[in-house]
């Protein structure tokens, strides 16, 4: 198959002056292009650590991580990272926030700016380009943050609990929006969450992790009927999957 | 943006009227206190309740300022002090900012230099007066040096804290895009610490005045600080008071300029 990312027996141990914390223990999995994969596990099990490894921000203590056929060395602008808080820069307008990665990667060409502009138009931010982040709602800001991760056309999107700072109503809506955007732009995405319903409603593949140190508990492919997360939540199989994963996590 | 076109209810009118009235009352009270203070001072001196030889009085201060302008070249003294203060301010701010940048950049430098900065910060700079006189003589140079010395440490510490307060997650985000250290500095740390920079400017204005006047107390043959010390030595309290009043006005103007600069930049950014 068309593999994009592969973990081979990856372990990671954090060193602090007084302690050694093993966050990941002998983890192996692979992710195909175009897949939407969720990692689910209890808080503090090592989910963010997995994303930091994929992003090349830290190196595994042992094992190999292969992205697009090559071992990851350091961050190189081949992936987009979306965090719990939108982390938009308050002194930049929406338009300027979105092209930040282009400036960093020295790809600030008129063609790329146009692409950024198109994405803003397409996903309901057309009239807000000249606004500052604090003039937008939380849901809109997360959408901007997502678009910011896509303007430089990375192979892979990393989403670290991007909805957990939103209230419940907004969360369902933003969840839907993000899913649609990612599918429409045909991106591969890794979502990290501790919310089971979020994982089931969004993913092609769910990887369940044990509590710390994170290792593989189970891999599921819930082929749930429905075009969008909100529709999937209404489907019949949904509660079955929920119970199954809930049992695994407890 | 569209506020002018909007039709407001009468409650809005009442609300804004109340705010305007509160503001007016504040200003009236402020002026009243000043007039009361000056009036009482003048009256008590006139009635000989207080000895105006020791306390001076407003009319004498005004007269003295007039004499200073016509006979003693007041503007020359103002110019000297202003020059020393502004030079001290600009150099302290510039060096302070650059040194803070270096300390942000290099964790090693930061850790190594920390005890030195702490000691320099707690040292009363005026203790270095004699050394400064020996090194720089008794002219403007020595006074500017004093002003820099007093201002720079606070400038460094304020700015460095501003730089170090940069959101860790934002740094992480930039790193994940492949940003290098210089890009993190120029795209995030510098613009993000802009409010700190403005407060650093405001603090530094005050520091520069302390430095220049203190310097003039120690050495110098000209400037407002010189006039004040000289007036004290020959027991001309009118001169002391007059020079102090002029100093107050200059310091206020300089602070207002910085505050205005802040407003302009914020407007420009929006
Ligand atoms: N830089 C670090 N140094 C030491 N320990 C860390 C560091 N980052 C995370 N940890 C520890 O590793 C474990 C996993 O962290 P994390 O990956 O953030 O968990 P999650 O995202 O699943 O909540 C936690 O127990 C945390 O305390
Ligand atoms: Mg986490």
């Amino acid at each position: 198959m068309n593999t994009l990312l592969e973990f081979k027996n990856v372990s990671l141990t954090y060193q602090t002056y007084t302690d050694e914390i093993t966050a990941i223990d002998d983890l192996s999995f692979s992710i195909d292009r175009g897949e939407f994969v969720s990692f689910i596990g209890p808080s503090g099990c090592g989910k963010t650590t997995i994303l930091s490894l994929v992003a090349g921000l830290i190196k595994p203590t042992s094992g190999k991580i292969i992205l697009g056929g090559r071992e990851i060395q350091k961050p190189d602008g081949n992936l987009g990272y979306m965090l719990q808080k939108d982390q938009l820069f308050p002194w930049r307008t929406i338009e300027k926030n979105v092209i930040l990665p282009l400036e960093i990667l020295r790809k600030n060409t008129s063609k790329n700016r146009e692409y950024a502009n198109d994405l803003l138009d397409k996903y309901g931010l057309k009239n807000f380009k000249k606004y500052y982040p604090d003039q937008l709602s939380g849901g809109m800001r997360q959408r901007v943050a997502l678009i910011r991760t896509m303007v430089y056309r990375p192979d892979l999107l990393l989403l670290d609990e991007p909805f957990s700072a939103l209230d419940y109503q907004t969360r369902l809506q933003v969840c839907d929006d993000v899913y649609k955007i990612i599918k429409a732009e045909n991106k591969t995405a890794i979502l990290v969450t501790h919310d089971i319903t979020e994982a089931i409603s969004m993913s092609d593949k769910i990887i369940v992790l044990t509590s710390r140190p994170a290792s593989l508990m189970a891999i599921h492919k819930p082929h749930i009927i429905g075009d969008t997360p909100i529709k999937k939540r209404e489907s019949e199989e949904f509660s079955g999957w929920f119970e199954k994963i809930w049992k695994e996590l407890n | 943006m569209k506020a002018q076109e909007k039709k407001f209810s009468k409650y809005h009118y009442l609300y804004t009227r109340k705010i305007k009235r509160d503001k007016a009352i504040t200003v009236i009270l402020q002026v009243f206190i000043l007039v009361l203070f000056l009036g009482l001072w003048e009256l008590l001196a006139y009635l000989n309740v207080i000895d105006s030889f020791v306390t001076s009085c407003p009319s004498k201060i005004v007269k003295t300022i007039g004499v200073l302008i016509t006979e003693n070249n007041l503007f020359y003294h103002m110019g000297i002090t202003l020059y020393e203060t502004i030079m001290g301010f600009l150099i302290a701010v510039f060096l302070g900012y650059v040194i803070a940048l270096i300390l942000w950049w290099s964790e090693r430098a930061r850790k190594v230099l920390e005890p030195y900065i702490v000691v320099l910060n707690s040292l009363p700079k005026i203790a270095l007066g004699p050394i400064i006189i020996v090194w720089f003589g008794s002219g403007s140079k020595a006074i500017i040096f004093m002003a820099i010395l007093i201002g720079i440490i606070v400038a460094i510490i304020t700015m460095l804290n501003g730089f170090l307060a940069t959101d860790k997650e934002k740094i992480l985000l930039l790193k994940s895009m492949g940003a290098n250290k210089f890009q993190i500095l120029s795209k995030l740390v510098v613009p993000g610490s802009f409010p700190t920079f403005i407060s650093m400017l405001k603090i530094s204005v005050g520091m520069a005045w302390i430095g220049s006047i203190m310097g003039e107390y120690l050495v110098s043959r000209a400037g407002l600080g010189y006039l004040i010390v000289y007036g004290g030595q020959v027991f001309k309290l009118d001169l002391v008071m007059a020079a102090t009043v002029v100093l107050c006005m200059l310091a206020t103007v300089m602070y207002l300029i910085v505050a205005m600069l802040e407003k302009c930049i914020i407007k420009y950014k929006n």
Side-chain angles (χ1 to χ4, degrees):
Chain A
M1 275 281 279
N2 192 357
T3 303
L4 176 63
L5 175 70
E6 201 174 359
F7 268 51
K8 287 182 179 167
N9 307 98
V10 172
S11 297
L12 183 114
T13 304
Y14 285 114
Q15 296 295 340
T16 67
Y17 199 76
T18 50
D19 203 1
E20 262 187 338
I21 300 164
T22 300
I24 313 275
D25 183 28
D26 194 30
L27 184 64
S28 302
F29 63 85
S30 71
I31 290 173
D32 294 339
R33 276 180 206 277
E35 246 184 340
F36 195 120
V37 178
S38 289
F39 281 89
I40 187 155
S43 281
C45 78
K47 301 183 294 298
T48 298
T49 305
I50 293 175
L51 295 189
S52 300
L53 284 166
V54 177
L57 295 167
I58 50 176
K59 286 214 159 70
T61 312
S62 67
K64 271 191 178 165
I65 304 171
I66 293 156
L67 177 65
R70 269 183 303 158
E71 197 164 348
I72 292 172
Q73 298 297 334
K74 59 176 173 37
D76 58 2
N78 199 15
L79 50 83
Y81 207 152
M82 189 172 165
L83 301 159
Q84 200 174 88
K85 290 196 221 119
D86 53 72
Q87 301 300 357
L88 299 175
F89 290 11
W91 56 89
R92 283 173 168 246
T93 58
I94 296 309
E95 187 173 55
K96 286 265 163 22
N97 258 296
V98 160
I99 63 161
L100 176 72
L102 298 178
E103 292 174 14
I104 298 292
L105 294 165
R106 300 199 172 77
K107 288 182 178 171
N108 196 1
T109 60
S110 60
K111 208 175 129 218
N112 282 333
R113 276 198 304 274
E114 211 170 286
Y115 177 58
N117 220 21
D118 290 346
L119 287 175
L120 287 174
D121 289 351
K122 208 151 105 191
Y123 299 116
L125 293 155
K126 189 174 186 142
N127 300 322
F128 297 94
K129 286 176 205 165
K130 300 270 185 242
Y131 281 48
Y132 284 86
D134 55 12
Q135 295 171 296
L136 267 59
S137 69
M140 285 171 108
R141 292 166 59 123
Q142 275 306 26
R143 232 182 304 152
V144 176
L146 178 65
I147 291 172
R148 180 180 57 189
T149 64
M150 299 201 302
V151 292
Y152 50 107
R153 299 182 174 89
D155 283 339
L156 180 62
L157 300 184
L158 307 178
L159 317 175
D160 193 351
E161 309 199 24
F163 316 116
S164 55
L166 304 169
D167 62 80
Y168 186 71
Q169 280 297 327
T170 324
R171 181 173 351 176
L172 289 187
Q173 189 54 52
V174 175
C175 199
D176 234 39
D177 292 344
V178 164
Y179 180 86
K180 284 181 204 156
I181 296 172
I182 288 173
K183 284 296 173 192
E185 301 300 321
N186 205 8
K187 293 287 177 203
T188 314
I190 300 179
L191 170 76
V192 147
T193 180
H194 60 256
D195 181 328
I196 303 175
T197 61
E198 217 168 84
I200 302 172
S201 64
M202 292 184 86
S203 337
D204 304 315
K205 183 151 105 189
I206 301 174
I207 299 179
V208 186
L209 299 168
T210 61
S211 54
R212 201 187 79 207
S215 59
L216 206 62
M217 166 93 83
I219 298 183
H220 302 293
K221 292 193 172 182
H223 295 285
I224 293 181
I225 301 154
D227 301 334
T228 67
I230 289 182
K231 292 245 175 67
K232 287 188 183 185
R233 279 170 194 266
E234 291 160 2
S235 95
E236 278 174 22
E237 316 107 288
F238 193 87
S239 60
W241 280 109
F242 184 91
E243 258 169 52
K244 186 169 180 152
I245 294 172
W246 195 81
K247 276 197 190 115
E248 282 171 352
L249 283 173
N250 291 283
Chain B
M1 278 163 275
K2 287 182 179 157
Q4 293 95 335
E5 300 161 21
K6 195 169 164 184
K7 201 93 172 79
F8 291 113
S9 73
K10 78 168 191 264
Y11 298 105
H12 182 262
Y13 166 73
L14 291 174
Y15 175 76
T16 52
R17 196 178 66 174
K18 183 178 173 332
I19 288 179
K20 278 182 200 150
R21 190 179 288 170
D22 282 351
K23 212 172 178 179
I25 290 173
T26 308
V27 173
I28 289 169
L29 285 177
Q30 282 166 340
V31 173
F32 177 74
I33 288 174
L34 186 68
V35 171
L36 185 74
F37 175 70
L38 293 178
L40 218 58
W41 188 1
E42 185 69 39
L43 185 71
L44 292 178
Y46 178 77
L47 296 176
N48 275 325
V49 178
I50 55 174
D51 183 357
S52 69
F53 180 68
V54 179
T55 62
S56 188
C57 68
S59 61
K60 279 190 182 173
I61 292 173
V62 172
K63 215 180 289 165
T64 312
I65 291 178
V67 173
L68 278 174
I69 292 172
T70 50
E71 286 166 32
N72 297 78
N73 225 339
L74 176 63
F75 293 115
Y76 166 72
H77 291 288
M78 281 168 68
I80 294 271
T81 302
L82 214 51
Y83 165 75
E84 291 159 354
T85 309
I86 291 174
M87 286 305 281
F89 168 75
L90 290 180
I91 297 173
V93 163
F94 177 76
L95 286 181
Y97 198 93
V98 171
I99 292 171
L101 275 183
I102 293 168
L103 293 180
W104 175 84
W105 188 279
S106 161
E107 195 181 345
R108 174 60 52 79
R110 195 158 70 233
K111 283 190 175 147
V112 170
L113 295 178
E114 196 193 339
Y116 297 99
I117 291 174
V118 169
V119 170
L120 278 180
N121 188 36
S122 41
L123 177 77
K125 261 62 80 180
I126 194 146
L128 301 176
I131 302 174
I132 295 173
I133 295 171
V134 171
W135 286 355
F136 293 95
S138 60
S140 281
K141 246 200 238 161
I143 292 155
I144 292 172
F145 190 78
M146 181 62 108
I148 296 170
L149 209 60
I150 287 182
I152 195 167
I153 303 289
V154 182
I156 293 173
I157 292 174
T158 310
M159 241 18 259
L160 182 60
N161 283 337
F163 292 154
L164 290 176
T166 307
D167 194 325
K168 298 277 178 304
E169 296 234 305
K170 287 198 169 68
I171 294 179
L172 199 82
L173 185 81
L174 286 180
K175 277 188 182 163
S176 78
M177 295 170 187
N180 58 36
K181 203 162 186 177
F182 182 76
Q183 287 174 320
I184 292 174
L185 183 71
S186 63
K187 300 286 179 201
L188 175 61
V189 175
V190 167
S193 61
F194 184 73
T196 310
F197 177 64
I198 294 291
S199 45
M200 186 266 256
L201 286 186
K202 284 179 176 166
I203 297 169
S204 294
V205 170
M207 287 294 165
W209 280 110
I210 295 176
S212 65
I213 297 301
M214 210 146 86
E216 286 184 356
Y217 279 9
L218 274 180
V219 287
S220 91
R221 291 181 211 94
L224 292 173
Y226 163 78
L227 288 182
I228 293 171
V229 169
Y230 172 76
Q233 281 165 352
V234 299
F235 231 83
K236 275 173 134 176
L237 265 295
D238 296 336
L239 178 58
V240 174
M241 294 290 186
T244 309
V245 168
V246 174
L247 184 62
C248 269
M249 292 197 281
L250 275 187
T252 309
V253 169
M254 205 155 142
Y255 185 85
L256 287 179
I257 290 174
V258 172
M260 238 157 64
L261 196 78
E262 176 186 12
K263 270 201 186 130
C264 283
I265 295 170
I266 287 170
K267 256 204 197 116
Y268 163 78
K269 292 194 98 185
N270 290 329

